[in-house]
Amino acid sequence: MFSLPPLDEVLAGAHVVSLPMRVKFRGVQAREVMVFKGPAGWGEFGPFLEYDDEESAKWLASALEAGWLGQPARVRDWVPVNATVPAVAPAQVPAVLAAFDAVHTVKIKVAEAGQSLSEDAARVGAVRHLLPEAKIRVDANGGWDVEQAVSALRMLSVFGLEYAEQPVASIAELAAVRKALRGTVLIAADESVRKATDPLAVARAGAADLLVVKAAPLGGVRRALEIVAEAGLPAVVSSALDSSVGISAGLALAAALPELPYACGLGTVSLMAADIADPSLVAVAGGMEVREVVADPGLLAQCAAPAERREWWLQRLRRCYALL
């Protein structure tokens, strides 16, 4: 870890914004994040509201790395990006996909609380109908048990799945699902990597065919690169519903990986009705050019969170900084 900047310096440049979503995503209708400018660029601190301080401190480390150290050297200047379809009704799928540019790969949310497998199948089928040649992956966010996951993925495999992301919650369950499916559907680990005290446990258990890595929850781009190298598995870079500032850290990670066999989940700014950068960091022709992102003062003011929410985030920042 590099030398931390003084807390007062971080606090002085902090902005808290609330970005409305076009459709509810992960239960969120407006995304709150904190951003600040350091000598090396802009960083974003955006752990979800329910995350505790210990977990959130990793997100702060990532933001400070971006703002005060800068990102590592890149090996590519263009990164393929997938579109994302939340757990919407099939009739809403065309409108969601219309927010994205050329779409070659789509990630579809499944196993949403209160929804059925038939609803999942209808949503995936709607995407496949609209995009017969696209690669399709599903993300359950650990919402199934082993029996449900095996049954669901066998059913959904008729649509041609590139892989299934975190179908079950635990590493042991992932290993059981992977064994039962015998390679008919590849298994990707997400929460089991970024929330685990030992992110390499997935690889050691043979629980996944690939890893989904996110710069912020892993403590920054450099730490994420180390984890991928140590795990020895293919990696997909994804975001955590970030603004363009946060997406730029994920883009830096994707640009620095030695190999990038899969399209990355960095297109979620297209799901937002507002952003703090102009132009926003969104995919063009199915991918993104690697570039610096600068927050726009006018948009920061326009999207500013209420005073009480700003104070909540400042207190959270102080607590997390003390843990670094």
Side-chain angles (χ1 to χ4, degrees):
M1 179 72 180
F2 66 101
S3 297
L4 293 176
L7 178 58
D8 288 346
E9 184 179 332
V10 179
L11 290 168
H15 302 265
V16 180
V17 296
S18 179
L19 306 174
M21 304 297 299
R22 296 183 190 276
V23 294
K24 185 184 290 188
F25 184 84
R26 200 186 172 278
V28 173
Q29 291 185 307
R31 179 72 163 113
E32 285 185 354
V33 298
M34 172 183 278
V35 296
F36 31 71
K37 186 181 186 303
W42 284 84
E44 179 164 314
F45 174 52
F48 291 105
L49 303 185
E50 68 270 20
Y51 288 7
D52 64 27
D53 291 347
E54 185 174 356
E55 185 173 357
S56 298
K58 296 177 182 177
W59 296 62
L60 181 57
S62 176
L64 297 179
E65 176 190 60
W68 274 262
L69 182 60
Q71 303 297 9
R74 60 182 186 250
V75 299
R76 62 185 58 82
D77 296 316
W78 188 85
V79 170
V81 172
N82 67 257
T84 301
V85 174
V88 297
Q92 293 178 272
V93 167
V96 171
L97 291 175
F100 295 88
D101 194 75
V103 178
H104 307 296
T105 304
V106 186
K107 180 167 82 170
I108 307 166
K109 292 291 183 179
V110 294
E112 184 87 350
Q115 293 189 1
S116 66
L117 178 55
S118 62
E119 290 173 289
D120 290 337
R123 185 181 313 114
V124 177
V127 173
R128 176 55 76 207
H129 176 74
L130 286 169
L131 300 169
E133 303 300 322
K135 295 178 180 177
I136 287 180
R137 53 186 71 160
V138 295
D139 181 6
N141 290 116
W144 291 317
D145 61 29
V146 171
E147 184 178 352
Q148 289 171 330
V150 172
S151 176
L153 293 177
R154 283 175 175 159
M155 173 187 287
L156 296 176
S157 67
V158 301
F159 297 110
L161 300 182
E162 185 180 32
Y163 61 76
E165 184 174 326
Q166 200 70 41
V168 288
S170 72
I171 292 174
E173 289 173 317
L174 280 177
V177 171
R178 184 170 180 252
K179 181 179 180 181
L181 292 174
R182 295 187 178 88
T184 56
V185 177
L186 298 181
I187 301 300
D190 178 10
E191 286 89 344
S192 291
V193 177
R194 62 183 169 88
K195 284 180 168 286
T197 53
D198 178 7
L200 300 177
V202 167
R204 285 199 294 269
D209 299 285
L210 58 144
L211 305 180
V212 177
V213 290
K214 300 178 180 179
L218 293 176
V221 171
R222 288 168 177 82
R223 179 57 184 141
L225 289 170
E226 291 173 358
I227 289 169
V228 172
E230 292 170 11
L233 290 174
V236 180
V237 178
S238 190
S239 70
L241 204 56
D242 310 311
S243 77
S244 284
V245 170
I247 292 292
S248 67
L251 191 59
L253 171 57
L257 280 168
E259 297 181 5
L260 195 68
Y262 295 95
C264 296
L266 299 173
T268 49
V269 171
S270 294
L271 299 174
M272 296 176 172
D275 188 28
I276 54 174
D278 186 16
S280 289
L281 194 52
V282 295
V284 177
M288 290 179 180
E289 295 272 353
V290 182
R291 62 175 175 85
E292 181 183 12
V293 171
V294 176
D296 179 89
L299 293 174
L300 286 171
Q302 182 178 318
C303 298
E308 66 273 15
R309 296 305 303 160
R310 173 178 168 80
E311 182 57 30
W312 186 91
W313 276 93
L314 290 174
Q315 293 298 333
R316 189 185 206 188
L317 171 60
R318 292 185 179 98
R319 296 193 308 271
C320 292
Y321 182 93
L323 296 174
L324 296 177

